[in-house]
């Protein structure tokens, strides 16, 4: 498709998009605003959704990855009558382990916890002077701690992607900050249509403030609030995708504990509304979406008959390749996450598989300014032995100091007198993925020193709190005498930036029928936890693509 034709299509799509939303058609409020549990799938649809893709198959749409963007694309395409196949590198996470649970506990990582590692790589590597990491069997576990040289990138592995392992903090950026997040996107559209649609689809809600005031499991957050407010910082409740009624029942002892059993980093067995329970459940119920877990895409090349030939490796739970296959897809959506999509596109361009991709592929990657720290409180400020693993509050100093801090739990099961925080900061540094022909690998040029702005911005909050409270930083959480968790990110963003590597709706330049629909579209920072923005942008883009391209 030529650029002129794409541009004309965008104008038609914008007009049509307003019509579609207003009429409540298959892409309108009636279909998209479904906040209730999905309609149960028929037996045939259920069987179809778990089928493994066959060699030499031809499919109308192949979606690479089942995280937020891929799940949105699959659901909306299916609702529009299109057959969709999702290939997911991770497991389905449907079968309980020997303890009767699908997911391992945060405090007791086991073979289920890490992606193809023989030793855990936990974000908190130390506690009270003791190292926490331990040997585990190599397994296709749920959390990938991918060492990108200068930074460890934590990513969810499995059907549902990052929704399986995050804290569920469903934050919409402040309207005044949006222009710096996605400068080419109409903010009015996002805040009037797509953010509400995403929040509805994800099942976002806010904790009952009255319950929060008395719940023992949120004593740590109330201490965090007291310290923040005494230092003059705005403290706010943050929406989440946890089932708050379930958590109340956990506290009452009438249901199995999940958030109150410390489950978060390696999956949540009960209360969290992951994509498996929201977008993907509704997608499967259409009978038009099939998912192949433990399938890894290795190549995408134009097919002589139109569309794209996609090379795929099928894995076993030890990570060994058990089969290789090729399929042909009329259209391909890259939704493997910021790192996965960026690495794949950079390799495909450099090796000549997709030579038409432009020079913006691989650029604009950022860590959402993530940095962590802990504070040692006085004995009169206990934070509670029982802590909900689901954070529900934050400290906002974005305008004055460039930091938004999540008041995070330390669900150790013992009293620690510690406050713990994950900060999102206005870090300006952006990295680039590039192809190393000698090693045959894609590399990221992130530098550890680039975290210093994040530390400085986080200190704008915590130095002031420590001074006011007469407290100090913890030095035992990230190594010996190390205050800052500046070695990681939970929120990778960028690498195939909207309106640079793609057009303004995620169509990749140079190859018609290829799309990016995940966090790699967002240039490095969202000012808050990013998954609602990823979901809302995917809702926006897929609506345009369906209206214009299909």
């Amino acid at each position: 498709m030529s650029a002129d034709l794409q541009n004309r299509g965008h104008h038609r799509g914008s007009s049509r998009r307003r019509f579609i939303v207003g009429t409540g058609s298959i892409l309108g409020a009636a279909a998209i605003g479904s906040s209730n549990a999905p309609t149960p799938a028929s037996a045939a649809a259920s069987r179809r959704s778990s089928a493994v893709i066959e060699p030499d198959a031809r499919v109308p749409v192949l979606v690479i990855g089942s995280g937020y963007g891929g799940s949105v694309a699959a659901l909306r395409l299916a609702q529009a009558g299109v057959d969709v196949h999702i290939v997911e590198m991770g497991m389905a996470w449907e079968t309980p382990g020997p303890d009767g649970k699908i997911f391992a506990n945060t405090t007791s990582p086991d073979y289920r916890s890490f992606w193809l590692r023989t030793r855990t790589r936990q974000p908190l590597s130390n506690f009270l002077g003791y190292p926490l990491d331990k040997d585990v069997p190599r397994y296709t576990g749920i959390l990938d701690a991918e060492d990108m040289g200068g930074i460890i990138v934590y990513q969810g592995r499995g059907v549902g992607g990052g929704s399986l392992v995050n804290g569920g903090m469903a934050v919409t950026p402040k309207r005044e900050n949006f222009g710096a997040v996605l400068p080419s996107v109409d903010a009015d559209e996002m805040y009037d249509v797509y953010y509400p649609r995403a929040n509805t689809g994800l099942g976002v809600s806010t904790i009952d403030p009255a319950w929060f005031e008395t719940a023992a499991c949120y004593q740590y957050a109330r201490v965090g609030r007291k310290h923040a407010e005494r230092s003059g910082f705005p403290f706010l409740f943050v929406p989440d995708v946890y089932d708050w009624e379930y958590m109340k029942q956990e506290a009452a002892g009438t249901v199995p504990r999940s958030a109150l059993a410390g489950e978060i980093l390696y999956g949540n067995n009960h209360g969290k509304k992951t994509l498996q329970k929201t977008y993907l459940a509704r997608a499967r119920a259409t009978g038009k979406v099939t998912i192949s877990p433990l399938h890894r895409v290795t190549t995408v090349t134009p097919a002589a008959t139109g569309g794209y030939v996609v090379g795929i490796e099928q894995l076993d739970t030890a990570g060994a390749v058990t089969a290789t296959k090729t399929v042909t897809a009329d259209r391909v959506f890259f939704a493997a996450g910021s790192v996965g999509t960026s690495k794949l596109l950079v390799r495909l361009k450099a090796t000549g598989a997709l030579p038409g991709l432009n020079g913006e592929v691989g650029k604009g990657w950022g860590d959402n300014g993530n940095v962590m720290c802990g504070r040692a409180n006085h004995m009169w400020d206990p934070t509670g032995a029982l802590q909900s693993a689901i954070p529900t509050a934050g400290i906002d100093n974005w305008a004055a100091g460039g930091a938004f801090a999540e008041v995070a739990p330390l669900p150790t099961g013992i009293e620690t007198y510690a406050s713990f925080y994950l900060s999102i900061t206005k870090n300006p540094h952006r990295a680039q993925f590039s192809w190393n022909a000698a090693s045959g690998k894609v590399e990221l040029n992130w530098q550890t020193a680039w975290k210093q702005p994040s530390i400085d911005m986080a200190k704008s909050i915590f130095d002031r709190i420590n001074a006011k409270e007469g407290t100090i930083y913890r030095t035992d959480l990230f190594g010996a005498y190390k205050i800052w968790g500046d070695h990681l990110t939970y929120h990778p963003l960028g690498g195939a930036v909207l309106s640079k590597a793609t057009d303004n709706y995620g169509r990749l330049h140079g190859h018609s029928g290829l799309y990016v629909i995940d966090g790699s579209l967002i240039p490095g920072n969202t000012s808050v936890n990013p998954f609602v923005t990823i979901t809302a942008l995917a809702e926006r883009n897929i609506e345009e693509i369906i209206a214009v391209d299909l």
Side-chain angles (χ1 to χ4, degrees), residues 49-89:
S49 72
S50 60
V52 171
I53 196 165
E54 296 294 331
D56 303 318
R58 178 131 198 170
V59 296
V61 168
L62 189 79
V63 178
I64 304 171
S66 61
Y68 292 102
S71 296
V72 170
L75 173 61
R76 302 312 178 199
L77 287 162
Q79 289 177 331
V82 180
D83 288 322
V84 178
H85 199 108
I86 300 174
V87 289
E88 166 58 52
M89 187 166 68

Side-chain angles (χ1 to χ4, degrees), residues 498-536:
L498 190 75
S499 289
K500 292 186 177 181
T502 73
D503 75 354
N504 202 33
Y505 291 90
R507 301 176 179 94
L508 278 159
H509 294 302
H511 292 279
S512 179
L514 297 183
Y515 309 86
V516 175
I517 197 157
D518 60 17
S520 57
L521 292 170
I522 300 172
N525 199 299
T526 56
S527 75
V528 290
N529 305 61
F531 75 78
V532 174
T533 297
I534 295 169
T535 304

Side-chain angles (χ1 to χ4, degrees), residues 155-453:
Q155 302 158 81
R157 293 283 177 247
V159 175
S163 76
L164 299 171
V165 298
N166 65 25
M169 291 188 78
V171 198
T172 297
K174 285 187 174 180
R175 176 69 172 76
E176 58 265 31
N177 296 333
F178 183 78
V181 176
L182 286 165
S184 67
V185 174
D186 185 310
D188 290 338
E189 263 191 344
M190 290 292 284
Y191 284 83
D192 292 346
V193 179
Y194 300 112
Y195 274 123
R197 186 175 297 172
N199 279 289
T200 297
L202 293 165
V204 175
S205 61
T206 304
I207 192 170
D208 175 358
W211 185 73
F212 171 85
E213 294 298 338
T214 60
C217 60
Y218 281 113
Q219 182 173 327
Y220 76 91
R222 294 193 297 273
V223 170
R225 175 181 62 188
K226 178 176 69 173
H227 292 172
E229 290 180 342
R230 292 206 305 209
S231 293
F233 293 114
F235 183 90
L236 60 152
F237 287 116
V238 175
D240 204 283
V241 292
Y242 205 80
D243 183 336
W244 297 110
E245 290 304 313
Y246 188 90
M247 193 185 295
K248 289 180 180 180
Q249 294 175 62
E250 291 181 62
T254 59
V255 296
R257 285 187 167 186
S258 197
L260 301 196
E263 294 177 353
I264 181 169
L265 197 60
Y266 311 126
N268 181 282
N269 282 295
H270 297 291
K272 191 166 72 167
K273 291 175 276 187
T274 65
L275 290 168
Q276 293 170 314
K277 300 177 182 180
T278 57
Y279 276 94
L280 285 173
R282 294 196 295 275
R284 283 174 149 159
T286 66
K288 301 188 76 64
V289 175
T290 310
I291 304 175
S292 292
L294 291 176
H295 278 60
R296 177 172 60 203
V297 171
T298 57
T299 189
V300 179
T301 57
T305 56
Y308 295 88
V309 176
V310 181
I312 302 171
E313 295 175 337
Q314 187 169 348
L315 307 176
D316 65 18
T317 56
V321 176
T322 60
T324 58
K325 56 186 82 172
T326 58
V327 302
T328 303
D330 297 331
R331 290 179 172 84
V332 178
F333 286 78
F334 291 83
S338 169
V339 172
T341 290
S342 299
K343 287 170 64 176
L344 184 55
L345 290 175
V346 166
R347 179 160 54 84
L348 294 174
K349 175 177 172 58
T351 58
L354 293 176
L357 298 176
N358 71 14
E360 293 294 325
V361 168
K363 295 181 179 179
W365 187 88
D367 67 339
N368 207 31
N370 283 181
V371 66
M372 296 193 299
C373 70
R375 293 176 42 255
N377 296 322
H378 296 295
M379 298 294 285
W380 56 80
D381 272 333
T383 48
L386 174 65
Q387 297 191 8
S388 171
I390 300 299
T392 188
I395 303 168
D396 185 8
N397 196 40
W398 190 263
F404 173 86
E406 169 188 315
V407 181
L410 273 175
T412 61
I414 62 173
E415 178 59 63
T416 64
Y417 299 95
S419 290
F420 185 56
Y421 308 91
L422 169 64
S423 294
I424 295 159
T425 67
K426 203 183 298 186
N427 192 316
H429 290 295
R430 297 294 178 264
Q432 180 176 350
F433 293 91
S434 59
W435 174 250
N436 185 326
S439 65
K441 295 180 179 179
V442 176
E443 298 175 345
L444 182 69
N445 70 340
W446 183 268
Q447 300 175 32
T448 303
W450 288 356
K451 282 286 193 177
Q452 190 59 48

